[in-house]
Every structure is written in structure tokens, then in C-alpha cells.
Amino acid sequence: MLEQEEFQIQLEKIEQPISRQDHSTTILFVIQGHVNLTIGENSYLLSEDDLYIVNRNEFYSLSRETDNILIALQIKSPFFVQHFSNYYQYYFDCFSKKMDTGREKIVASLRHALTLLIINSFNPTENSQLISHNAIFKIMLLLAKFFKKEQAQNQLDLPEDDRLSRIITFLENHYDENITLGKIAEREFLSPSYLSRYFKARTGLGFLQYLMQIRLKHSLSDLLLTDEAISSISFKNGFSSSKHFTDAFKAYYKETPSQYREKHSGQGQANTFLPCSNDVTIISELSPELLERLGKYQFEAAQETELSPVPIEQKTISLTNGNAGSLKHPLYLLTIGEMKELLKDNVKKQIETVQREIRLDFIGIRHLLRGNTFLPEVETDEAVPTFSTYANADLALSYLKTKGLRPFIRIEYQELSLNEEHYFEQLSHFIRHSIQVFGRAFVSSWAFMYYESEQTLVSAHELKRLFLRLKACFKEIEPKIKLSTFVPFSERGAVPSAHQWIFEAKSDIDFLTYHANPNEIIDFSKGNELTFHDADHYTLTKTKKT
């Protein structure tokens, strides 16, 4: 078996009926015998040479018809969408037995790439990584070019499916660490209760139950292929104690780890077939007969791997003069919390993922001065100080500038008013420092939001006074910096009286901000009957009302 962040491939032998649901695109390729495949109400008999694509989130069952061996490849959704941005808008339709005439060469190319991946996984060399990635990209290209079909509108995967794939990928790669629902919720900027409901609605399993199954799957290999103690295996695979591991293992496999190891130890050490469970056997060695069978597909593909060239016809395009203009597009904002979060690799990775997939313009930042981004001032007698209170902030801003991103900084009235003079002094000094370090062009693209909650005891006059002082501060240092204010209102009521000062100061307000969270009206208790159309309509309605 070869498992990477991008994909997993293995040789399997189906012993008993099994059911699966993968959050990946799965390719099943039978190289010996017959296997029954059931998806929904449809059943298929997969025979030798047959190839079938199971789409993400499809529930399917496999059962033994005769003695069999098949290749199972899972291409993980986050990796696929990274290289094929419209991945979630399509599904792949491929059953080699029912292919249209003329596509034999394409299917032969798929078989060739799949067998190359398997052979490479059993015979690693210094070029193995290059060979694997060349084969997996070839498979993805063939799927996207020849087998994609557009999803029906009511079956389109939602952006949340990308989130689910990201979570599952993280669990698969970090199962041996101390993972909690709270930590994953923090990574995804969600509340734990929301994530719990969301995960159960999408997978049908509770978060801890899903994580437990991943840990058991990995512990099984250690149990059969090593002589490690049970206690060592339990801690190695993320279990808190040997008892915890034993109880979970027995509940799933109906035997204790020691009993299971004793029962299968001979097979795990000497035989070609390695039992993964009572239902599926993972083939851990290539026998000469099996290698010869795989080589057949390499030879056949060598005869006709080249696809027919695409006809090229020369065309002349005439461009007429017209009025120059630019296309308008929305600006996207991702809020991360304090600026120091930009120093964390996992946060950077998430930002770059969002930027790559939907574009990103601003990074939302809170508690600029009150937080822990700025280092405490230290007295020094150096003529040229080697220590800067803005060291962390400079690193964070340098990252944003390199990535073509801009800060969107939230200034809360409560923070500003605690020590007004000191706050303005610090803010002015920081902006001037940033202009010196990063240039006026970068700083002039920043945006700030003045914020006070809906239920406030502060008077409208006081809120307006501090906003105008903030505006004057920016105007003096860099007039192009944009300043907005938060407008709290709901569908059921107007703007509260304490915030109606915005109508008097509208000429000084560059833009408005408001809450319109679609998740507020999504009921996850409805399971698979979730409708996100109403959520989209909710955001549009509130925007129009603003």
C-alpha cells in the first residue's frame, strides 16, 4: 500500500461483503477474478480488466463473486481541487465494460498508470516520487478531460465539502497526535458545537467515532507487521492508554489486539496476503504471477498510449478598438484574529489555500494594540537599537505584502477608550513605522473598521466623536487609508439609536460593515435535506437592506 497526502493506492482481495463511503474519487480496477459492486439501487459485476470510478461521498458495497484481486486508488479531494478548480462541479462517469467505442486507448492509459503506481509502490527507487506523481497527474488529466460530467444543480457539492475533505485529510495525517474537536474547530474558525453538528450531518458519524476508526486502521498494520508491545502501538497511534486501545479494538474487531495478533501472526509474517479485517485482505508482496499479470497492462498500453493528436486549425482574430475598462469583482476577506497568528505555518497554509481557490484580498485582524503581537518595550543604551517592539508585526506584514494581501484591522471602541491618548499615540507611531518599512503604497491600501456592539451604553455623540478623531488621525498620516464603521441591525429592527450618528457623519465614512452570516438560518438537524439556497437569499436580502 502506498499512502500520501495526495492519494492512497493498494492491492486488495475481497473476502466478505464490505461497505464504504470515501470522501475521495476512487478508482476500482479488477486484475483477477470477479467482484460484485453495488451503488444505490444499481449493481455491477466487475470482471478481470474492468475499471469503475466511484465518485466522492458515494456509498458503495463490494462482495466476492470468485477469487479476486483488485487495485483501489483514492485521489483525495483537496489535492484534486488544487489542480482542477471545478472539481466539485463535476462527477466522473466511467465503467470500462460500457464505454463508448473509440475510448479503448484512454482506458488502456488509465490501466497503465494504475499498474505503474502499484509496481512503483512495491519497488521504490530514488525516482519513485517522480514516477508516482507523473502517474497520478496523468490519471487526473484523463478523468478531467474525458470522463467528467456536470452535476445536476441540486446535487452540486457545496464549499463545505471542501472543508470536510480538509478536516478528514488532517485527521488522516495527524491521527497519532492529541486531536480534539475543539482544536479542529479552532483550525476551521468554527465553534465546537457547530463543527460537531456539521461533521455528523456530513459523514453520518460522530467526530470521535470517525477519528477512532482512522486510528484503528493504522494500528492494525503495526499489530501485524511489527513486534511492538500493545502499549507502544496504542500510544503510537494516538490512544490515551493501552486499555483505551484494547476496548476500542475489541468493539470493532470482536477480538482483543493480542488475540488478533496471535490468530494472524503467521499470515502477517510469511504469507503474501495480509488480513486487514475479516472482510478485506491487503496484498503486501508481488508474487511472480501477479507481477506478470500487471506487466501485461504495461505492455498493452505501450502499444497505444499515445492519444490521437488534436487537429489544429489556424485562425485569425481581429481586435477592434474599444473603450478601456476594468471588470468589477468582489473583495474577499478572511479573519484570523490577532496579527501574530500570521506567524503560524498552519494559518499561512490555510490562507494560501483560500487565496488559491477563491482569491483573497484582505486578512481580518483584531486587537492590534491590546493583543500580544507587539513586544514589550525594552530600555536600551544602544545608539542604534537592535530590538524592535514591532518585530512580530513586521514579519506578519512582510508575509501579507509578499502574498499581495492587505490588513483589514478592527478597532473596538472599548479598547480605544480605555486610554484614548495612549492608544492614538501608539496607533500613529505604528502606522508611521509601517510606512517607513513597507512604503506608503502598501500602507495606503489598508482598511480599518470602527466597531461597537449593538447593545451599547455609549452615547451616539461619543461614538461619533471618537470615529471622527480616528478619521482625522488617518487623514494626517495617510489620507488613502479607508475607514469604515460597523452597522448593527437585523431583519426585524432598524439601526439602534446609539448608532444613528452614522447618518450625520456619512461623508466621513468610506464604507459600511455589517453581519450577514448564512449559517444563522441553516438547520443541521435536517440531515441531508439541508438547503443553502435560503442562506444565499438571506445574505442578498440583508445586503440590499443595507
Side-chain angles (χ1 to χ4, degrees):
M1 180 177 75
L2 178 62
E3 182 171 6
Q4 302 186 9
E5 287 190 20
E6 299 91 350
F7 65 91
Q8 174 181 315
I9 189 168
Q10 61 191 27
L11 276 173
E12 297 182 341
K13 183 178 183 181
I14 305 301
E15 307 282 6
Q16 300 292 333
I18 61 167
S19 296
R20 292 172 173 165
Q21 184 181 33
D22 300 325
H23 300 286
S24 311
T25 294
T26 301
I27 302 179
L28 303 174
F29 173 29
V30 179
I31 60 175
Q32 178 180 310
H34 301 81
V35 176
N36 292 308
L37 169 67
T38 302
I39 300 179
E41 298 179 354
N42 300 314
S43 296
Y44 310 93
L45 177 63
L46 304 186
S47 305
E48 185 174 318
D49 297 343
D50 281 346
L51 188 148
Y52 192 96
I53 296 178
V54 181
N55 288 282
R56 60 191 176 277
N57 300 327
E58 279 190 326
F59 189 86
Y60 66 99
S61 300
L62 292 170
S63 62
R64 179 182 185 274
E65 179 70 19
T66 64
D67 193 32
N68 61 83
I69 298 175
L70 60 88
I71 296 174
L73 169 67
Q74 296 176 358
I75 307 176
K76 300 182 180 180
S77 294
F79 177 68
F80 215 134
V81 78
Q82 179 181 347
H83 301 283
F84 179 46
S85 59
N86 293 328
Y87 172 72
Y88 286 111
Q89 297 178 22
Y90 297 98
Y91 69 97
F92 302 111
D93 183 15
C94 177
F95 182 19
S96 57
K97 189 177 288 185
K98 298 183 178 180
M99 291 298 301
D100 295 335
T101 303
R103 295 205 167 190
E104 294 85 358
K105 293 182 180 180
I106 302 169
V107 175
S109 295
L110 279 175
R111 294 191 183 109
H112 174 268
L114 287 165
T115 52
L116 181 62
L117 272 176
I118 279 292
I119 294 172
N120 184 60
S121 69
F122 282 95
N123 299 281
T125 66
E126 62 179 5
N127 299 321
S128 290
Q129 284 287 97
L130 292 174
I131 294 171
S132 294
H133 281 84
N134 179 61
I136 201 70
F137 278 117
K138 180 178 181 180
I139 291 170
M140 291 164 61
L141 176 60
L142 291 171
L143 297 188
K145 190 172 182 181
F146 297 105
F147 300 107
K148 71 175 184 292
K149 289 196 174 181
E150 196 164 351
Q151 293 271 29
Q153 191 64 31
N154 60 350
Q155 295 178 330
L156 279 175
D157 283 333
L158 299 160
E160 281 77 2
D161 285 315
D162 190 23
R163 172 192 288 159
L164 181 64
S165 298
R166 191 167 58 244
I167 293 172
I168 290 173
T169 299
F170 181 85
L171 296 182
E172 287 282 1
N173 293 332
H174 299 272
Y175 63 91
D176 56 338
E177 300 175 9
N178 180 23
I179 297 175
T180 64
L181 180 68
K183 287 183 179 179
I184 301 299
E186 184 179 357
R187 281 176 56 86
E188 295 295 324
F189 304 103
L190 302 171
S191 69
S193 59
Y194 177 92
L195 177 59
S196 178
R197 297 194 306 272
Y198 163 81
F199 195 90
K200 182 68 179 289
R202 290 288 174 181
T203 67
L205 297 174
F207 176 83
L208 292 179
Q209 184 182 4
Y210 198 99
L211 177 59
M212 183 75 67
Q213 291 190 8
I214 292 175
R215 286 171 169 166
L216 287 173
K217 177 184 71 174
H218 289 278
S219 66
L220 197 63
S221 298
D222 293 329
L223 193 66
L224 293 173
L225 295 178
T226 73
D227 295 325
E228 290 185 75
I230 301 299
S231 58
S232 176
I233 292 175
S234 64
F235 291 120
K236 179 181 177 181
N237 289 283
F239 292 93
S240 58
S241 66
S242 299
K243 184 179 186 306
H244 183 206
F245 171 52
T246 300
D247 291 344
F249 192 95
K250 187 173 182 180
Y252 194 78
Y253 290 102
K254 311 305 179 186
E255 295 177 303
T256 66
S258 298
Q259 291 170 335
Y260 195 93
R261 170 181 267 176
E262 183 178 355
K263 183 177 179 180
H264 298 289
S265 59
Q267 294 171 305
Q269 296 296 326
N271 291 355
T272 302
F273 300 116
L274 169 64
C276 180
S277 70
N278 294 329
D279 306 326
V280 181
T281 294
I282 305 300
I283 300 177
S284 60
E285 295 180 16
L286 288 181
S287 65
E289 296 80 9
L290 192 52
L291 190 58
E292 181 181 355
R293 188 177 294 273
L294 294 172
K296 177 188 74 171
Y297 299 107
Q298 297 289 299
F299 176 77
E300 288 177 356
Q303 309 298 313
E304 47 184 54
T305 50
E306 293 300 321
L307 303 180
S308 301
V310 178
I312 298 177
E313 181 179 355
Q314 186 172 352
K315 293 285 186 181
T316 301
I317 301 176
S318 176
L319 299 177
T320 57
N321 292 329
N323 296 327
S326 60
L327 295 175
K328 301 295 183 182
H329 61 78
L331 301 179
Y332 291 92
L333 164 71
L334 176 65
T335 300
I336 61 166
E338 292 189 30
M339 188 181 286
K340 66 176 183 177
E341 296 297 312
L342 289 169
L343 305 181
K344 298 179 180 179
D345 289 337
N346 65 320
V347 174
K348 291 180 180 178
K349 188 174 181 180
Q350 292 182 58
I351 288 173
E352 289 161 17
T353 298
V354 174
Q355 189 177 27
R356 181 172 58 248
E357 294 181 4
I358 66 170
R359 203 186 66 249
L360 195 56
D361 301 280
F362 287 96
I363 297 297
I365 294 166
R366 299 178 60 181
H367 310 311
L368 177 67
L369 303 184
R370 195 191 72 182
N372 298 315
T373 300
F374 292 172
L375 301 174
E377 296 183 2
V378 177
E379 292 186 6
T380 177
D381 56 1
E382 297 174 309
V384 179
T386 57
F387 175 87
S388 171
T389 188
Y390 303 125
N392 286 340
D394 287 348
L395 289 173
L397 290 172
S398 178
Y399 171 76
L400 291 183
K401 186 176 181 181
T402 300
K403 294 297 179 181
L405 300 170
R406 296 165 277 172
F408 183 98
I409 301 171
R410 169 168 158 168
I411 296 181
E412 300 189 12
Y413 169 83
Q414 299 300 331
E415 294 181 17
L416 195 158
S417 61
L418 285 176
N419 189 337
E420 184 179 333
E421 297 305 322
H422 182 63
Y423 191 97
F424 275 101
E425 180 183 348
Q426 277 191 300
L427 181 62
S428 300
H429 192 278
F430 171 65
I431 295 175
R432 295 182 194 278
H433 165 83
S434 299
I435 291 174
Q436 290 180 339
V437 174
F438 300 103
R440 189 171 292 274
F442 177 56
V443 177
S444 67
S445 68
W446 295 7
F448 287 78
M449 176 180 70
Y450 178 60
Y451 178 88
E452 175 60 349
S453 62
E454 180 177 3
Q455 304 299 328
T456 180
L457 299 177
V458 184
S459 68
H461 178 270
E462 172 65 5
L463 290 174
K464 177 183 176 182
R465 182 188 69 81
L466 273 184
F467 174 85
L468 293 177
R469 182 173 182 185
L470 200 57
K471 182 70 175 179
C473 173
F474 294 147
K475 188 174 182 179
E476 178 185 354
I477 302 171
E478 175 46 62
K480 292 183 179 179
I481 291 177
K482 296 292 189 294
L483 177 61
S484 73
T485 186
F486 173 70
V487 184
F489 75 98
S490 67
E491 293 295 298
R492 297 176 298 276
V495 177
S497 58
H499 291 273
Q500 293 192 9
W501 61 268
I502 63 174
F503 302 117
E504 302 171 4
K506 59 184 179 182
S507 61
D508 294 296
I509 301 173
D510 295 314
F511 60 97
L512 297 175
T513 56
Y514 58 95
H515 284 152
N517 185 0
N519 292 332
E520 294 173 2
I521 62 168
I522 297 176
D523 183 4
F524 278 89
S525 65
K526 294 181 179 179
N528 293 328
E529 297 180 0
L530 302 177
T531 58
F532 288 80
H533 172 75
D534 292 340
D536 292 338
H537 184 66
Y538 168 78
T539 303
L540 179 61
T541 300
K542 194 154 189 180
T543 301
K544 288 181 177 179
K545 187 167 183 179
T546 305

